[in-house]
Amino acid sequence: MFSRTENVQTFVRAYPLVTLFIVIQLLVFVIDSFAPGLRIVATGGSFHLALADGQWYRLITANFIHLSLGHLLFNSFALIIFGPAMERMVGHVKFALFYVFAGALANLLTYFTVSNLFYLQAGASGAILAILGFYVFIGRFRRTLMYSQDARLVYIFVAISAVFTLIGSNVSLWGHVYGFLAGFLLAIPLSRFTVPYTRPMRYGKYKQRSYTPPVIHSGDGKWFFYIIIGLAIFGLLAQFL
């Protein structure tokens, strides 16, 4: 599910929206690096002072703007690993709407939480954490949609992300938390239209779907789930300690 064995041609054909989002953020970063006069970050980042002035489009554009090469590469890598399965499971259109809306919602809620008008937020982290929130929900409450090993991998990655969110510098804690919660909550209605992942064949075509549900995972996975919830609560409380 999360192991990428497709060649480039198959990947592009099978996951066009994941490919599009990655290309957009790569192009934006390259253009910003070679044409700083365009001031892409200043005009498209989720800058709270600009949001207060009514420039709400920034809630969306900020998701495709990255402030450093390391941040861009990490988010692109995470999207390549975790985005394709969701695009396949919910469909191209629903995935696109989910990704854009969850990222924008994370930026919006951060705006209402952080009162500093000079606060700047940019990057796809909120939208990517929303994808992980989606997987955590179906892994815990829609177990027939994911294999146990895939669910555990998501739990572990979310736990690691939570730790780096807490100890990292220049990290939008609220953007990460709200992104994850947005994905988790949006998964409640979206999971009704979700099917188990089917790996693409060559040239992006798929085998006939099999609706035989995956093996339901054991109760061991619940401990990973509780650890994630505990880290999220600790992260929230840490802001007030």
Side-chain angles (χ1 to χ4, degrees), residues 67-195:
L67 304 179
S68 69
L69 179 60
H71 192 204
L72 170 69
L73 293 178
F74 181 83
N75 281 346
S76 297
F77 172 77
L79 186 54
I80 289 173
I81 296 299
F82 295 106
M86 183 179 179
E87 181 173 350
R88 172 59 181 157
M89 294 170 75
V90 303
H92 306 306
V93 175
K94 294 185 183 68
F95 172 76
L97 293 176
F98 172 94
Y99 187 86
V100 173
F101 179 74
L105 184 59
N107 291 332
L108 178 63
L109 294 177
T110 301
Y111 166 70
F112 287 119
T113 303
V114 180
S115 58
N116 182 7
L117 290 178
F118 293 96
Y119 187 85
L120 173 66
Q121 184 168 266
S125 300
I128 292 172
L129 264 295
I131 294 176
L132 294 176
F134 169 84
Y135 288 137
V136 169
F137 177 84
I138 64 173
R140 186 70 187 96
F141 300 106
R142 298 290 187 271
R143 298 182 180 181
T144 57
L145 296 175
M146 289 182 71
Y147 289 104
S148 58
Q149 60 268 30
D150 293 323
R152 282 195 292 268
L153 178 61
V154 170
Y155 297 160
I156 292 172
F157 191 85
V158 171
I160 294 174
S161 298
V163 171
F164 277 99
T165 297
L166 295 175
I167 67 176
S169 59
N170 297 323
V171 175
S172 175
L173 170 64
W174 290 109
H176 287 196
V177 171
Y178 286 137
F180 177 82
L181 291 177
F184 187 89
L185 295 176
L186 289 172
I188 298 175
L190 189 58
S191 62
R192 297 175 53 194
F193 307 97
T194 302
V195 299

Side-chain angles (χ1 to χ4, degrees), residues 20-37:
L20 176 64
F21 292 148
I22 292 174
V23 170
I24 290 176
Q25 62 191 32
L26 289 175
L27 285 177
V28 169
F29 186 82
V30 170
I31 293 173
D32 184 53
S33 299
F34 288 95

